[in-house]
Amino acid sequence: MKKIALFADVQNLYYTVRQIHGCHFNYGALWSEVSARGEIVEAYAYAIERGDAKQQQFQQILRNLGFTVKLKPYIQRSDGSAKGDWDVGITIDVLGAAARVDEVVLASGDGDFDLLLERVRAGGAEACVYGVPGLTAQSLIRAATRYVPIEGSLLLRG
């Protein structure tokens, strides 16, 4: 059975799904789709900690599905801008897992990960990307072994 590591960029998924589809991403459907192709041996969801109850409830749902939830504090800068970026953390975790699995699944449309997926593939693992059509970087799609558009059953409507 194929060993799979799953990585979900929660912030990217939240904003891109909302912008294009006007709803939320269905993490349960993602888990079902991916686990139908093999055994998920590692799964991480990267999120920003704002400390509100609704967000903590969502994080518990992710844990119940099987994700390890990694949190970074939400930082409001003095100029009004905000910081909460997991790109380096995701990259380190993906590179660590790639040697132990047959496939890396990245749920994110962020083009900053294109070089990462090229490295994953060069090391012999497959690299699958789930991203929102129109908001997933073409360089990321090209770097992946397979691209799955986020639509249909991957959306939580109503």
Side-chain angles (χ1 to χ4, degrees):
M1 184 177 262
K2 183 189 285 192
K3 289 184 185 171
I4 302 171
L6 173 58
F7 302 87
D9 182 351
V10 172
Q11 300 305 112
N12 181 275
L13 293 170
Y14 176 79
Y15 289 107
T16 59
V17 169
R18 192 175 74 174
Q19 182 177 336
I20 294 295
H21 298 293
C23 61
H24 293 287
F25 182 65
N26 187 337
Y27 288 87
L30 171 69
W31 191 276
S32 295
E33 261 191 37
V34 173
S35 61
R37 297 200 312 271
E39 180 189 3
I40 299 173
V41 294
E42 297 179 50
Y44 301 95
Y46 302 85
I48 304 306
E49 178 60 74
R50 287 192 167 91
D52 65 87
K54 193 169 183 181
Q55 194 175 44
Q56 290 168 343
Q57 182 181 13
F58 165 69
Q59 291 160 5
Q60 191 55 50
I61 290 168
L62 292 175
R63 289 183 189 97
N64 292 345
L65 285 170
F67 285 96
T68 297
V69 177
K70 293 195 169 192
L71 298 171
K72 265 193 179 177
Y74 176 77
I75 298 167
Q76 187 81 39
R77 295 188 184 116
S78 57
D79 67 0
S81 66
K83 176 162 176 45
D85 191 330
W86 265 110
D87 289 7
V88 172
I90 292 170
T91 298
I92 290 168
D93 289 347
V94 167
L95 288 173
R100 300 187 293 270
V101 299
D102 304 303
E103 181 179 7
V104 167
V105 175
L106 176 64
S108 177
D110 189 337
D112 289 343
F113 294 123
D114 56 2
L115 294 173
L116 172 63
L117 295 191
E118 288 172 14
R119 176 66 60 90
V120 165
R121 292 181 66 192
E126 293 176 43
C128 176
V129 168
Y130 280 76
V132 174
L135 293 180
T136 300
Q138 288 302 308
S139 63
L140 187 63
I141 294 170
R142 283 193 301 273
T145 312
R146 191 162 72 116
Y147 166 67
V148 180
I150 293 175
E151 55 197 11
S153 65
L154 291 168
L155 302 174
L156 276 176
R157 296 201 184 268

